Each structure stands twice: as C-alpha cells, then as structure tokens.
Amino acid sequence: MKIILMVVTFTVVIAAGAVGYMVFFDSGKETSRDNMNLSDSIDEGIKDRVSVLLIGADQRPEQKKFSTDTIILASVDPKTKRTSLLSIPRDTRVLLKGHGYKKINEIVSLTDLDTLEKTVEELTGEKIAGYVQTNFQGFKKIIDTLGGITVNVEKDMYYETGDDEDGYINLRKGEQVLNGSKALQYARFRHDALADISRTARQQVVLKAVAKEMFQLSTIPKLPFLVPQVMDAVNTSLSSKDILTLAKVAVGFDSSNMVAQTLPGSFLDLEGISYWKVDPLEVKQVVKNLFQGKTTEKIIGQEPVDLLKPVIPTPTKPLPQVPGNSQDPNGRKSPGYQME
C-alpha cells in the first residue's frame, strides 16, 4: 500500500511540478478534506472521471499572497485510460464575487486557493477533487533524478529573467535531453509573439515528456530518491486516501494516451487592461471535446494557429494580439503583471 501511495504521489506531483516553477512558502503541507473523498473505500478505486487543479505559483518565502502563473485542469478517466490537460491562460477574464471582473491569476492574491478552484469549476463546469501546488527547486531535482526529459525545442530561446537563481533562459533549437534547469527554462519562456499563450503549449510538452519518462521501467529504482523530493515539493488539498485512490487507475495508464489543449479565446483591452476573453459556453464545449480526446487549433480569435510554430507576420497577416506580446497596449500597467 505504501508503494502504491508513493507511485501515485509521484505521478500527480510530477505532472504539477512540470508547470509549477516558483517557490511556495509552506511546502510539504497536506490538508485533508473530510467532505471530499474520491471513493467511500480505498479498495473500490474510482469508476468515473476525476479532475485535479495543477498550480504553478509565484510565491516567495516572505509572501502571504501570490499570483498563480500556471493553471492546468488535469483529468483522468479510468474508462478510457486517458489523461486530459486544459491550460487556462493567466490573463483569462473571470467574474470574482465581491471583486468584479479580474484576471484569473489574481484570484489567490485577493482570496485563496480554494476560491481559485471554485472559479475554475464554474468556468469549466467540471467538478474538481482538489489542487496540487508545487515548488520551483523541487521540480528541477525531480527532473534531474529522472535523468532529464527529451524535448524538441522549436526555436532558439534567450531571455534574462533577472532572478538571482535561474537568471537566464538560453536554449538552442532541436531535439535534446533537458536537465532540470533547462526544462524549467523551456517551461518558463514566454517572450515571443504569442507570449503566455505559447507558454501554455510548452508546459504541455513538458508534462507529456515527464509522463513518458515516468512510465519507463528504468524509473522504478529511482523511486526511493524521488519520493522525498516529491513530498518536499507538494502543497495539496488532496488527502492521502484520495491520492491512494487515484493510484488504482494511474498505474494502468499509458503516457501516450494524453491530450492537451489551451483554452481558446481572444485579446480584450478594457480601460488599458489586457485580458484573455473566453466564451463561457465555448469553454464548456471545449472541455467536453477534450475529455473525448478532441482538440482544436482555433485558439486565438477562432483562427487556426500552431502555438509552437514561430509566428512570422506579413503585410496581410499581422501578429495576433495576445496579452503580454509586443502589441499589448498596456504592458506593465496591467494588474498582476509580472516579467515571468
């Protein structure tokens, strides 16, 4: 039973760790939800789909409030053995009770993680079992212990982040094995035409690469080294019972049966603040299709676009507007703005 718990903890946290690239304060804390159990008995497993919110948060040790730069709804289906990932852009405009319309990445700084979870539930129409928040350094250690992940970097990437540690993003185009530091650089990069929208696609690439590596037989001997790192890297509302229940379906999954989608929308400028505007009805249809294994390339303003293909503007087809790119009219003035 302990081995199963270790394996599923590793499974869930690795997924979150691939996108959780900032340090959180109270690492390793686990909060049990008495009213939220995935099953009445750990021996029954689960019969229906279960969704978990994966969060990458910009939280420094001295901070009580923080922004959530990465929000991914991860869903596992025991019937189809499919894992679905829905990336929600950080600038998505949502209605927050008592605060009016806000960017979704501001919710935790104004309220808490539970409110963010409830907001995502309302947005997607999907019940969420709990959240998993991971830390920055833990992610790198886990990737290094795995021996790295194989990623096809779509273009040269360079940016000076200004951080005391991991101060540079410097990657070359091509397929390569990325260590923890390099994998973090790839998952963080957003300084191109599609800004955070293309970053969501890169985070999905990392998630898939981690899942593929995780299910290799060669990973099994590494578990004794990985488990302590995993436990130090997780802040979750899932109980041990919930995690153990997820184990019963996770161990039978194929890493290749994973589909990912960035939430479609369009650029919206309101009073000098840029948002990612989404249609509530379309969101729920996108989620429904994703759970059936269907994705769409119509991400930006209903126009087909490859988020990982370098965008080259032409006189007849200028750069698409997304929050945070060179055409963003407000840039640093936008609430919740951050360089990374």
Side-chain angles (χ1 to χ4, degrees):
M1 295 289 280
K2 290 183 178 180
I3 292 297
I4 293 176
L5 178 58
M6 289 179 180
V7 171
V8 77
T9 302
F10 173 54
T11 302
V12 175
V13 176
I14 280 285
V19 295
Y21 49 82
M22 291 296 177
V23 179
F24 66 85
F25 177 60
D26 196 12
S27 65
K29 181 179 180 181
E30 183 180 276
T31 302
S32 176
R33 293 185 174 184
D34 294 334
N35 61 344
M36 174 66 76
N37 286 314
L38 300 181
S39 67
D40 293 331
S41 169
I42 57 176
D43 294 327
E44 293 179 2
I46 60 174
K47 298 178 181 179
D48 300 316
R49 174 185 306 281
V50 174
S51 295
V52 176
L53 194 63
L54 308 182
I55 300 168
D58 180 16
Q59 183 182 11
R60 304 298 179 174
E62 69 279 4
Q63 291 179 319
K64 298 293 184 180
K65 297 293 184 178
F66 53 92
S67 296
T68 48
D69 278 347
T70 301
I71 303 171
I72 294 180
L73 178 66
S75 185
V76 295
D77 188 337
K79 296 177 181 177
T80 62
K81 296 188 182 298
R82 179 185 298 122
T83 301
S84 304
L85 305 172
L86 178 69
S87 295
I88 302 174
R90 64 192 295 276
D91 294 293
T92 300
R93 187 172 184 257
V94 294
L95 181 61
L96 179 61
K97 186 177 181 180
H99 297 273
Y101 283 97
K102 296 293 181 180
K103 294 186 176 186
I104 198 167
N105 79 312
E106 298 178 80
I107 290 179
V108 176
S109 65
L110 295 171
T111 56
D112 51 34
L113 285 165
D114 289 331
T115 302
L116 173 61
E117 181 182 313
K118 292 175 183 176
T119 302
V120 175
E121 284 186 336
E122 294 172 358
L123 178 67
T124 62
E126 177 69 7
K127 185 67 176 176
I128 299 175
Y131 61 79
V132 179
Q133 179 192 350
T134 60
N135 77 30
F136 178 54
Q137 299 302 326
F139 161 69
K140 295 193 297 183
K141 290 180 181 178
I142 291 169
I143 296 296
D144 286 337
T145 304
L146 280 172
I149 57 173
T150 301
V151 172
N152 187 12
V153 179
E154 66 273 13
K155 62 183 178 182
D156 291 347
M157 299 178 183
Y158 184 82
Y159 185 75
E160 297 181 16
T161 68
D163 294 345
D164 293 335
E165 189 171 349
D166 302 297
Y168 294 90
I169 295 175
N170 189 11
L171 299 171
R172 294 296 182 184
K173 178 180 178 180
E175 184 173 297
Q176 56 201 280
V177 176
L178 301 180
N179 62 16
S181 179
K182 293 290 186 180
L184 183 67
Q185 291 178 32
Y186 183 76
R188 294 181 74 183
F189 188 76
R190 65 187 293 268
H191 299 277
D192 53 14
L194 301 185
D196 189 60
I197 306 304
S198 60
R199 179 169 66 172
T200 62
R202 293 186 187 104
Q203 292 164 355
Q204 294 163 12
V205 169
V206 172
L207 281 169
K208 291 179 179 180
V210 169
K212 183 177 181 180
E213 187 65 34
M214 179 180 58
F215 285 107
Q216 300 292 329
L217 290 176
S218 58
T219 299
I220 295 177
K222 301 174 184 177
L223 285 176
F225 304 97
L226 286 165
V227 171
Q229 296 171 14
V230 166
M231 298 313 295
D232 285 340
V234 64
N235 172 31
T236 179
S237 61
L238 292 171
S239 68
S240 298
K241 180 179 179 181
D242 291 340
I243 295 174
L244 183 56
T245 303
L246 282 171
K248 292 185 173 294
V249 293
V251 294
F253 278 27
D254 184 346
S255 62
S256 64
N257 194 14
M258 180 180 287
V259 292
Q261 173 76 64
T262 296
L263 188 60
S266 59
F267 181 87
L268 176 65
D269 176 27
L270 288 178
E271 300 179 350
I273 300 175
S274 61
Y275 297 95
W276 187 244
K277 179 184 176 182
V278 298
D279 182 330
L281 294 179
E282 182 185 8
V283 171
K284 292 174 177 59
Q285 186 60 51
V286 167
V287 172
K288 182 179 179 180
N289 290 343
L290 182 64
F291 289 169
Q292 295 175 354
K294 303 174 184 177
T295 60
T296 177
E297 292 185 348
K298 294 183 178 181
I299 306 297
I300 304 174
Q302 294 299 315
E303 289 292 327
V305 60
D306 184 344
L307 298 184
L308 294 178
K309 184 177 181 180
V311 176
I312 302 176
T314 65
T316 58
K317 194 173 183 179
L319 288 174
Q321 284 189 294
V322 298
N325 76 353
S326 59
Q327 296 185 30
D328 185 341
N330 69 86
R332 296 172 183 258
K333 297 179 182 178
S334 182
Y337 173 86
Q338 293 171 333
M339 290 300 292
E340 286 298 323

